[in-house]
């Protein structure tokens, strides 16, 4: 199980990236919201879309299976 977070600051393309603990890009995020602990990125991105930002997407580095944009 990994802890997941969503970046509260949108990227220049508009989406809010979901990262998991240990991701290099998460360390660069200045404002993030904790999503919970999950076995995979799918439920974390789904939670981010429902409770935080409808345009959330997985990070290409740490959540490549959930990176769609």
């Amino acid at each position: 199980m990994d802890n997941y977070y969503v970046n509260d600051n949108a990227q220049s393309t508009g989406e809010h990236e979901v990262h998991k603990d240990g991701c290099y890009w998460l360390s660069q995020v200045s404002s993030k919201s904790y999503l919970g602990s999950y076995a995979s990125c799918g439920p974390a991105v789904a939670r981010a879309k429902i409770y935080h930002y409808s345009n959330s997407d997985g990070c290409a580095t740490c959540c490549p299976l959930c990176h769609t944009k």
Side-chain angles (χ1 to χ4, degrees):
M1 301 284 270
D2 292 301
N3 291 312
Y4 287 85
Y5 302 84
V6 62
N7 187 344
D8 292 323
N9 300 309
Q11 299 203 133
S12 60
T13 51
E15 66 270 4
H16 293 261
E17 284 197 323
V18 172
H19 301 276
K20 67 180 179 179
D21 274 339
C23 179
Y24 167 78
W25 297 111
L26 181 61
S27 68
Q28 306 302 306
V29 172
S30 61
S31 179
K32 61 189 175 227
S33 295
Y34 179 66
L35 297 171
S37 181
Y38 299 97
S40 66
C41 61
V45 172
R47 181 171 180 84
K49 286 182 177 186
I50 293 168
Y51 295 104
H52 297 276
Y53 308 102
S54 61
N55 58 345
S56 296
D57 191 38
C59 169
T61 301
C62 66
C63 302
L65 296 176
C66 297
H67 179 72
T68 60
K69 298 177 183 175

